[in-house]
Every structure is written in C-alpha cells, then in structure tokens.
Amino acid sequence: MISNDLSIYEEFGADWWKSDSHHFRSLRAVNEFRLELISSWIPLKQGDTAVDLGCGGGFIAVPLDHAGVKV
C-alpha cells in the first residue's frame, strides 16, 4: 500500500497556491479535468451555491468562487 507522505504538507505548505510548485503539480494537473467534469454534471452559474465536501486544499472551491459561485 502506498501512503501519502503527510510531511510534504508541513514542509512545503507555503507552496500550496504557487502554480509553479513541483511538490503539488500532480494535484494541479488534474484540476482542469475535474472542473470540466463537475461542470458537465452540475452546471453551476454565478450566484449559485455549492458545498464542497471533502474539498482537500480548495483546488475546486477557489475556481468556483472566482466564477461567482458561493462556496
């Protein structure tokens, strides 16, 4: 079983929102696909409200917020 090395979040947490951070690039790499997939299932528009359960680091919540969705 492969486990998540949680120390990376402590050591490199300041890089979380840096788009050029190689520590979190795998999470960012799938984000555009996930956003497109979610949008095809649930077409949210400005002014809608969404609850992001299990959001992890907010990689989905932040773009929704920027699109005018209340998260």
Side-chain angles (χ1 to χ4, degrees), residues 14 20 24 32 56:
D20 61 344
F24 304 110
E32 185 175 339

Side-chain angles (χ1 to χ4, degrees), residues 34-50:
R34 293 188 312 174
L35 283 167
E36 288 177 15
L37 185 62
I38 290 168
S39 294
S40 73
W41 292 336
I42 309 165
L44 296 168
K45 60 187 179 306
Q46 188 172 6
D48 285 350
T49 300

Side-chain angles (χ1 to χ4, degrees), residues 16-60:
W16 187 258
W17 293 109
K18 295 180 182 176
S19 60
D20 61 344
S21 170
H22 71 278
H23 296 102
F24 304 110
R25 75 174 155 222
S26 62
L27 293 173
R28 291 185 179 286
V30 299
N31 202 46
E32 185 175 339
F33 169 76
R34 293 188 312 174
L35 283 167
E36 288 177 15
L37 185 62
I38 290 168
S39 294
S40 73
W41 292 336
I42 309 165
L44 296 168
K45 60 187 179 306
Q46 188 172 6
D48 285 350
T49 300
V51 177
D52 189 358
L53 300 174
C55 64
F59 286 135
I60 297 293

